[in-house]
Amino acid sequence: PHCSIAALQGRNMDRDRFILHLNAADFAVAVERLTDSSLRDRPVIVAPLQTARSVVYDMSNEAYDAGIRKGMALHQATRLCRSASLIPPRFELYAKAMSAFVDEARTFSPVVESGAGDGHLFLDLSGTHRSIGPPPDVGWRLRKRIRNRIGVDPIWSLGSSRVVAKVASRVVKPVGEYIVGPGEEASFLAP
């Protein structure tokens, strides 16, 4: 990981705050790829297809690299990436996958906050190290568990606040983990 695990060693973990951020990048696309393996490793755009002013709801990393962005007009997106597979959103499927994602996380923390069904979770691991292990171990174990049970491979990051953890996950997107140890927040956020 891109971190200083040494910053966690020798710390009184009872006093420090640890927020784990899980981010299943491009969540709708990740779920669609679970149901249709032919979509793997190719550009995918999730957007309503039958509306005149349709906009991109989600896109794969390959489509992002081609210039596609969330909220972009679908007609513009298809001009930028003609090879993209177009998929209509299936919100019920994403909600079911998000529910499974949250259920897995709840086994590790009593405090779990989720985004708007977008594959983002925040877990407060403060003071839980004696019952479930050190926060970095929880991150690795939870990522492996979610990957094995749900099929989605989330990024995870650890910080002293939601903001620090969220920024850390953006540093390693689309794959990886990042730990910002206690006291490293200012130097991490400075750039």
Side-chain angles (χ1 to χ4, degrees):
H2 305 253
C3 68
S4 174
I5 292 181
L8 298 178
Q9 295 173 345
R11 302 269 322 175
N12 182 347
M13 288 195 186
D14 290 325
R15 292 187 196 156
D16 292 323
R17 191 156 181 242
F18 294 101
I19 304 298
L20 178 69
H21 177 231
L22 290 164
N23 176 6
D26 313 325
F27 187 68
V29 172
V31 173
E32 292 292 348
R33 285 176 167 171
L34 290 173
T35 62
D36 182 354
S37 62
S38 72
L39 298 174
R40 294 186 196 277
D41 301 320
R42 56 185 297 180
V44 177
I45 298 173
V46 178
L49 304 179
Q50 303 301 324
T51 61
R53 296 179 186 249
S54 184
V55 296
V56 173
Y57 172 74
D58 201 5
M59 71 277 153
S60 66
N61 200 51
E62 298 84 2
Y64 182 86
D65 290 344
I68 310 305
R69 301 294 181 266
K70 289 182 181 181
M72 178 182 278
L74 183 58
H75 67 85
Q76 181 184 4
T78 55
R79 278 197 306 255
L80 284 174
C81 190
R82 296 187 189 279
S83 63
S85 295
L86 301 177
I87 308 288
R90 297 191 287 172
F91 298 112
E92 288 180 16
L93 179 64
Y94 311 148
K96 187 176 179 182
M98 189 66 193
S99 179
F101 193 33
V102 170
D103 288 347
E104 293 299 331
R106 279 203 177 110
T107 63
F108 286 88
S109 175
V111 182
V112 177
E113 295 180 36
S114 64
D118 59 358
H120 289 266
L121 294 179
F122 292 93
L123 288 76
D124 190 342
L125 300 178
S126 305
T128 63
H129 65 281
R130 290 184 181 155
S131 59
I132 60 174
D137 290 349
V138 172
W140 284 307
R141 288 186 352 242
L142 186 52
R143 178 182 183 192
K144 182 179 179 181
R145 184 174 177 161
I146 290 169
R147 193 174 49 224
N148 291 340
R149 292 187 179 191
I150 300 172
V152 174
D153 190 11
I155 300 162
W156 69 267
S157 56
L158 192 62
S160 59
S161 70
R162 287 177 54 146
V163 171
V164 171
K166 171 77 171 159
V167 171
S169 71
R170 300 297 285 178
V171 170
V172 293
K173 187 178 179 185
V175 181
E177 62 272 339
Y178 201 109
I179 300 168
V180 180
E184 296 178 341
E185 299 87 355
S187 61
F188 168 72
L189 293 172

